Amino acid sequence: MEPTTLFKAEWGSRAYGTNTPESDRDIIQVVIEPPLYITGLEEFRPKHSSTAEQGQRSHKDDTDVVQYGLKHYAALAVEGNPQVMATLWMSDLLETTSYFNMLKENREMTVSKQAGRKYLGYMTSQKARITGEKNRSTNRPELVAIHGWDTKFGAHALRLGYQGIELMHTGQIKLPMEGEALEVCRATRAGEVSKEEGLDLIDFLQDTLEQLVQKSDLPERGNRALMSEFLHYIYTSDWKKNHA
């Protein structure tokens, strides 16, 4: 029997609103693992598939799909993983359930200083790719040739900065992005922002986010105990209905 889909949605640039005509399609699917994957020795690992040929980058006509088990997904969300926790603010879903709606209604359990630090960490990693401190080569030499730098890494770093700051300020994430933050990310991706200007802005957002995390009144970590209670309810309810 196929596991129950908790939700399925577009994510990545299309979810953020930063996609371009050349963007591929990214899909996330989270499933509720059958009993033996939780109570037994079976292991449910994340699965990735793509319409692109193996070893090749995805292009605008390709679709990449990643599938998580609920337990792994929930752990990443409550730890503040930027990509994963942001899905709790999605409103345009391909498939959903009352279980996922329940998690969305209680998504504040994932908002913490640790989440702010995760955004900061991912942002710093993107910046290191731009400066060459991490992986001196780029898999997008065409962007470097045209714009002088990898503008996709630049847009990712800026998005993480803007969203991390928004999360620390409001405890929320708007999806898709709006206003100046969206305009700057799109302009950066399109090559309308120079490498020097982009790095200066990244530095500013980085410093701002770091200060906000330090001054925040948010809890140090997400509420793992509450997330565990929700998982127990979801698993036992689904198993009773579909695996009795």
Side-chain angles (χ1 to χ4, degrees):
M1 180 180 292
E2 287 292 314
T4 304
T5 293
L6 182 77
F7 79 94
K8 188 176 184 179
E10 300 234 24
W11 73 335
S13 62
R14 293 177 187 270
Y16 303 133
T18 58
N19 56 300
T20 72
E22 301 303 312
S23 296
D24 61 350
R25 190 182 185 206
D26 295 300
I27 303 292
I28 180 173
Q29 179 187 27
V30 176
V31 300
I32 304 170
E33 307 94 305
L36 290 180
Y37 288 95
I38 301 299
T39 62
L41 296 177
E42 296 294 332
E43 185 177 0
F44 193 98
R45 297 181 179 179
K47 301 175 183 178
H48 176 266
S49 62
S50 177
T51 58
E53 292 186 19
Q54 188 172 2
Q56 299 297 312
R57 284 165 48 194
S58 297
H59 295 286
K60 63 180 181 179
D61 296 325
D62 289 314
T63 299
D64 293 343
V65 180
V66 63
Q67 184 188 81
Y68 287 117
L70 172 57
K71 188 171 183 177
H72 183 58
Y73 165 82
L76 291 174
V78 82
E79 288 168 4
N81 177 283
Q83 270 195 307
V84 171
M85 75 175 294
T87 60
L88 292 167
W89 277 266
M90 287 180 172
S91 56
D92 190 12
L93 302 165
L94 301 174
E95 295 180 36
T96 190
T97 60
S98 59
Y99 300 137
F100 185 59
N101 293 337
M102 180 178 65
L103 293 180
K104 287 181 65 178
E105 289 167 4
N106 293 275
R107 60 197 175 196
E108 68 276 2
M109 65 184 164
T110 67
V111 181
S112 66
K113 289 184 179 181
Q114 183 184 31
R117 294 188 189 100
K118 290 279 188 178
Y119 272 87
L120 188 60
Y122 276 75
M123 183 186 187
T124 301
S125 178
Q126 293 293 323
K127 177 186 172 184
R129 290 174 180 268
I130 296 168
T131 60
E133 296 172 53
K134 182 178 181 180
N135 294 352
R136 291 185 177 275
S137 62
T138 175
N139 64 347
R140 305 186 192 96
E142 72 281 3
L143 295 182
V144 177
I146 296 171
H147 306 302
W149 66 306
D150 192 324
T151 55
K152 190 168 184 179
F153 279 148
H156 283 326
L158 291 171
R159 173 185 58 77
L160 288 160
Y162 282 121
Q163 290 187 318
I165 289 169
E166 179 184 22
L167 185 66
M168 291 298 98
H169 265 311
T170 68
Q172 304 286 329
I173 302 169
K174 289 189 182 73
L175 285 181
M177 296 173 68
E178 299 176 352
E180 180 182 352
L182 177 58
E183 291 175 10
V184 171
C185 288
R186 283 179 169 172
T188 301
R189 178 66 180 84
E192 298 168 11
V193 176
S194 70
K195 182 177 181 179
E196 183 179 3
E197 292 171 330
L199 286 173
D200 284 346
L201 182 53
I202 289 169
D203 286 341
F204 173 75
L205 296 178
Q206 198 172 18
D207 291 342
T208 302
L209 178 53
E210 191 167 8
Q211 291 175 27
L212 286 172
V213 172
Q214 291 174 355
K215 297 176 182 177
S216 175
D217 293 328
L218 290 170
E220 282 294 328
R221 297 179 179 276
N223 193 333
R224 291 179 62 87
L226 183 58
M227 179 64 87
S228 293
E229 290 180 14
F230 283 122
L231 293 194
H232 179 75
Y233 171 77
I234 293 171
Y235 280 120
T236 53
S237 298
D238 179 71
W239 293 349
K240 183 177 180 180
K241 180 179 179 182
N242 296 309
H243 300 278

